[in-house]
Amino acid sequence: MSEISTLATGWTFTSESPVPEDVRSMLIVGEEAVAAYKTIRDFAIFTNKRLIVRDAQGLTGKKVEVYSLPYKSIDMWSTENAGTFDLNSEVQLWTRAGQIKINLKKGIDIRKFDNLLSEILL
């Protein structure tokens, strides 16, 4: 379980993105993609039921690991906007699997992201 926390510490969402087609095929009946964010070559997709992270691995990125975090596993979250010298905003999720930290690059609206979490978690 600590592997998730260690991996997530390095996630930096760089921009909003369309939902990748290969992730759409994983959605169950009644599940809808709400938002997607891109990292350098990975994606995080927020649905109405869970957070799906598509993690491309290796030099070619052909090997893909997928994490699925049901929202019922998230106990608490916090958001911190960027400051004068710190250009990234930060999001922390406290889950049954451990603490997950996500950085949001400049250009991603932290309050919109916070509202997204509120809408899907509450």
Side-chain angles (χ1 to χ4, degrees), residues 8 14 23 28 31 39 65 70 81 91 108-109 114:
T14 58
V23 173
I28 63 170
E31 186 175 21
T39 68
E65 187 168 9
N81 63 309
V91 178
I108 298 177
D109 184 346
D114 194 36

Short mmCIF file of all heavy atoms in Angstrom, two decimals, residues 8 14 23 28 31 39 65 70 81 91 108-109 114:
data_model
loop_
_atom_site.label_atom_id
_atom_site.label_comp_id
_atom_site.label_asym_id
_atom_site.label_seq_id
_atom_site.Cartn_x
_atom_site.Cartn_y
_atom_site.Cartn_z
N ALA A 8 2.41 8.46 -5.90
CA ALA A 8 1.56 9.63 -6.04
C ALA A 8 2.27 10.91 -5.66
O ALA A 8 1.92 11.96 -6.16
CB ALA A 8 0.30 9.46 -5.20
N THR A 14 -0.35 18.61 -15.33
CA THR A 14 0.12 19.76 -16.10
C THR A 14 -1.00 20.51 -16.80
O THR A 14 -0.88 21.71 -17.04
CB THR A 14 1.15 19.33 -17.15
OG1 THR A 14 0.57 18.34 -18.01
CG2 THR A 14 2.40 18.77 -16.49
N VAL A 23 -9.12 4.41 -21.64
CA VAL A 23 -9.70 4.46 -20.29
C VAL A 23 -11.23 4.40 -20.37
O VAL A 23 -11.87 3.79 -19.53
CB VAL A 23 -9.24 5.74 -19.55
CG1 VAL A 23 -9.95 5.90 -18.22
CG2 VAL A 23 -7.73 5.70 -19.33
N ILE A 28 -17.65 1.39 -16.14
CA ILE A 28 -18.75 0.45 -15.98
C ILE A 28 -20.06 1.14 -16.35
O ILE A 28 -20.12 2.36 -16.51
CB ILE A 28 -18.80 -0.11 -14.54
CG1 ILE A 28 -19.07 1.01 -13.53
CG2 ILE A 28 -17.52 -0.87 -14.21
CD1 ILE A 28 -19.36 0.52 -12.12
N GLU A 31 -21.23 4.70 -15.13
CA GLU A 31 -20.06 5.51 -14.76
C GLU A 31 -19.74 6.49 -15.88
O GLU A 31 -19.72 6.11 -17.05
CB GLU A 31 -18.85 4.60 -14.50
CG GLU A 31 -17.64 5.34 -13.99
CD GLU A 31 -16.50 4.41 -13.62
OE1 GLU A 31 -16.46 3.26 -14.11
OE2 GLU A 31 -15.64 4.85 -12.84
N THR A 39 -0.36 14.32 -17.06
CA THR A 39 0.98 14.56 -16.55
C THR A 39 1.87 14.53 -17.79
O THR A 39 1.37 14.75 -18.90
CB THR A 39 1.41 13.50 -15.52
OG1 THR A 39 1.56 12.25 -16.18
CG2 THR A 39 0.41 13.39 -14.39
N GLU A 65 0.13 0.68 -16.35
CA GLU A 65 -0.45 0.25 -15.08
C GLU A 65 -1.61 1.20 -14.78
O GLU A 65 -1.50 2.41 -14.98
CB GLU A 65 0.59 0.31 -13.97
CG GLU A 65 0.10 -0.27 -12.66
CD GLU A 65 1.22 -0.46 -11.65
OE1 GLU A 65 2.35 0.00 -11.88
OE2 GLU A 65 0.94 -1.08 -10.60
N PRO A 70 -11.62 4.04 -5.51
CA PRO A 70 -13.02 4.39 -5.28
C PRO A 70 -13.12 5.56 -4.30
O PRO A 70 -12.35 5.65 -3.35
CB PRO A 70 -13.60 3.12 -4.65
CG PRO A 70 -12.60 2.05 -4.88
CD PRO A 70 -11.27 2.72 -5.04
N ASN A 81 -3.19 26.72 -2.57
CA ASN A 81 -2.90 27.46 -3.80
C ASN A 81 -1.42 27.80 -3.89
O ASN A 81 -0.70 27.76 -2.91
CB ASN A 81 -3.76 28.72 -3.89
CG ASN A 81 -3.48 29.70 -2.78
OD1 ASN A 81 -3.47 29.34 -1.61
ND2 ASN A 81 -3.23 30.95 -3.13
N VAL A 91 -2.48 19.36 -3.78
CA VAL A 91 -3.68 18.66 -3.30
C VAL A 91 -3.19 17.44 -2.54
O VAL A 91 -2.28 16.75 -2.99
CB VAL A 91 -4.57 18.20 -4.48
CG1 VAL A 91 -5.77 17.43 -3.98
CG2 VAL A 91 -4.98 19.39 -5.33
N ILE A 108 -3.71 25.43 -13.95
CA ILE A 108 -4.83 24.63 -13.46
C ILE A 108 -5.43 25.38 -12.28
O ILE A 108 -4.74 25.66 -11.31
CB ILE A 108 -4.41 23.20 -13.05
CG1 ILE A 108 -3.85 22.44 -14.26
CG2 ILE A 108 -5.59 22.45 -12.45
CD1 ILE A 108 -3.34 21.05 -13.94
N ASP A 109 -6.69 25.70 -12.39
CA ASP A 109 -7.39 26.47 -11.36
C ASP A 109 -7.62 25.60 -10.12
O ASP A 109 -8.43 24.67 -10.16
CB ASP A 109 -8.71 26.98 -11.93
CG ASP A 109 -9.48 27.86 -10.98
OD1 ASP A 109 -9.16 27.91 -9.77
OD2 ASP A 109 -10.44 28.51 -11.45
N ASP A 114 -10.72 22.04 -6.50
CA ASP A 114 -11.30 21.83 -5.18
C ASP A 114 -12.81 21.61 -5.30
O ASP A 114 -13.37 20.75 -4.63
CB ASP A 114 -10.99 23.04 -4.28
CG ASP A 114 -11.24 22.77 -2.81
OD1 ASP A 114 -11.00 21.63 -2.35
OD2 ASP A 114 -11.69 23.70 -2.13
#
